[in-house]
Amino acid sequence: MQKNNRKLSITAATVLVVAVIFTIAFWVKVTDENLWDALFAFYNTQNGSRLYMTGNTYVGYNSMINNNNNITWIDLNHPNGFSSGNINFGSWNFVTITVSGTDGIKLYVDGNYRPFQRCSGSVNSNAISGESGFDYSYIINHLRSCTNFYLGYGSFWGSADASYDELLFYNRALTGNEVKALYQAEKEE
């Protein structure tokens, strides 16, 4: 890790322990337009299942648990020929992700809610075409099996070239108004 003023540049995976229903918030500066490499992940090293986010705000989950060839996965903002434009490369952005069994995954950038523009997936080999068709209990169960949170590690492709600052964890899913207030408070620091 290298420190530059208040900014922390993480060059190797850093491991932190977190709760199951939560909010993650952090400042990030992605230095290249690689759409695939991980900013963070909940990665189960025992069975290979993972939940991760890239600099394109692509959130992916893959169970990697094969029950009679039934693999459960979901891709939100998959970058195949698509750039979400949610994170401005080369600039600092305040990214907030909330996860809960009832509301699923929500993404905020600089305090503003950013709905996922693309969704595809499969639940026990049955295709889904929208977030409402996905059973988020799979992700909650995955998170229960993960003991660690990784920065810069965990996608299938590699680690994002990024700097991080003010990494915050909450043991509940913040509301949209709370996320906006958090961004305003962090921006004023």
Side-chain angles (χ1 to χ4, degrees):
M1 291 192 274
Q2 298 174 330
K3 265 197 168 183
N4 180 2
N5 291 335
R6 288 184 22 173
K7 308 304 176 196
L8 181 64
S9 177
I10 297 175
T11 56
T14 298
V15 181
L16 302 167
V17 177
V18 298
V20 174
I21 297 174
F22 59 90
T23 298
I24 303 170
F26 55 93
W27 286 98
V28 66
K29 182 178 183 180
V30 180
T31 57
D32 65 12
E33 294 190 37
N34 183 312
L35 305 179
W36 299 91
D37 292 343
L39 292 175
F40 73 80
F42 292 90
Y43 177 54
N44 184 320
T45 57
Q46 300 284 314
N47 63 26
S49 61
R50 59 192 79 206
L51 171 68
Y52 55 89
M53 188 181 98
T54 73
N56 188 46
T57 62
Y58 162 36
V59 176
Y61 165 73
N62 192 314
S63 71
M64 299 303 290
I65 299 169
N66 189 337
N67 297 327
N68 299 320
N69 294 321
N70 294 327
I71 295 176
T72 298
W73 60 276
I74 189 168
D75 286 333
L76 305 168
N77 284 350
H78 190 281
N80 191 16
F82 165 78
S83 176
S84 71
N86 287 329
I87 292 179
N88 298 313
F89 298 105
S91 301
W92 285 98
N93 297 263
F94 191 68
V95 176
T96 306
I97 299 282
T98 64
V99 177
S100 77
T102 54
D103 293 331
I105 300 172
K106 291 192 175 188
L107 167 70
Y108 300 84
V109 178
D110 295 337
N112 297 307
Y113 175 62
R114 302 285 189 213
F116 294 107
Q117 299 168 18
R118 301 170 98 180
C119 177
S120 59
S122 174
V123 175
N124 292 323
S125 298
N126 297 310
I128 61 164
S129 60
E131 288 180 77
S132 63
F134 188 75
D135 181 354
Y136 283 94
S137 69
Y138 286 96
I139 290 177
I140 299 301
N141 289 335
H142 163 72
L143 294 170
R144 285 189 178 115
S145 75
C146 293
T147 57
N148 299 314
F149 168 80
Y150 297 88
L151 280 178
Y153 178 73
S155 75
F156 293 100
W157 304 278
S159 300
D161 186 9
S163 297
Y164 300 82
D165 192 27
E166 304 289 330
L167 181 61
L168 305 167
F169 291 91
Y170 295 87
N171 62 359
R172 63 186 181 84
L174 297 181
T175 67
N177 287 336
E178 289 172 319
V179 170
K180 191 171 285 293
L182 177 62
Y183 167 68
Q184 290 301 323
E186 286 293 317
K187 186 171 80 167
E188 293 171 7
E189 275 190 14

